[in-house]
Amino acid sequence: MSTILSPQSSCGVYPDGNRSIWILGMLITFKALGEETGGEYSMYEQWVPPGLGAPPHIHHEETEAFLMREGTVEFIKGDQRLRAESGDFVFVPKGVVHGFTNVGDVPARFTAISTPGGLHEKLLGEIGEPAPTPTLPPTPEAPPDIERLIEIGKKYGTEILRP
């Protein structure tokens, strides 16, 4: 199991200084962690290859917002499907089902913020793994282990929904 917080560092970076993780075939680079913002928020940049994304889930403790920077992502937000492109903003209150998929032909990039900070980066850090380089990981060979995601999500107040 990985964690975004290094035991050698209280500032939220890995021992090599890297703040990036590979998660479900995507790249996340943390810009601000809850421990750095007094628990107010966490912020990260995410790169999503075509066809990949996050399965539908519910954060019971956090609100999330996404600012699209590049590419085209389809968000599920409650019973809506939203197509977001560069410059678009998607807000998801806590308790609302959401997920996303890159529906374009090129990697998509967005900046995301989660409030309050702390839980979200721990969830992502445990699901993912430290990225050896801040680049997209190899394409996953199999779909994610949904049972593993469900169990990890429970620890952090997030309900991962089965397909």
Side-chain angles (χ1 to χ4, degrees):
M1 276 188 227
S2 53
T3 178
I4 195 64
L5 302 178
S6 161
Q8 294 87 4
S9 171
S10 63
C11 66
V13 296
Y14 291 109
D16 65 358
N18 192 0
R19 295 174 69 107
S20 297
I21 61 171
W22 285 350
I23 181 169
L24 306 176
M26 300 171 283
L27 171 70
I28 291 177
T29 300
F30 291 92
K31 302 299 184 179
L33 302 173
E35 70 177 28
E36 299 166 336
T37 66
E40 295 291 325
Y41 66 92
S42 302
M43 184 171 33
Y44 57 92
E45 180 177 75
Q46 187 159 350
W47 285 91
V48 183
L52 295 183
H57 58 283
I58 303 168
H59 298 294
H60 293 287
E61 306 294 327
E62 302 155 303
T63 294
E64 236 178 332
F66 306 87
L67 175 61
M68 288 298 301
R69 310 292 296 271
E70 297 177 42
T72 305
V73 171
E74 182 176 273
F75 284 89
I76 296 168
K77 178 182 172 184
D79 59 0
Q80 302 174 4
R81 289 193 179 270
L82 310 168
R83 191 177 204 89
E85 297 178 338
S86 182
D88 290 339
F89 180 80
V90 178
F91 173 76
V92 182
K94 70 179 174 182
V96 174
V97 174
H98 63 288
F100 61 85
T101 303
N102 178 347
V103 294
D105 297 331
V106 298
R109 179 172 64 106
F110 56 75
T111 300
I113 191 164
S114 176
T115 63
L119 279 179
H120 200 66
E121 69 252 23
K122 291 175 184 172
L123 168 72
L124 297 174
E126 189 166 335
I127 291 172
E129 63 186 82
T133 60
T135 58
L136 284 169
T139 303
E141 295 179 7
D145 178 348
I146 195 73
E147 296 304 320
R148 175 180 172 267
L149 298 180
I150 289 169
E151 287 305 309
I152 292 171
K154 286 179 186 177
K155 293 180 0 185
Y156 301 103
T158 296
E159 183 179 348
I160 310 291
L161 305 178
R162 286 183 175 82

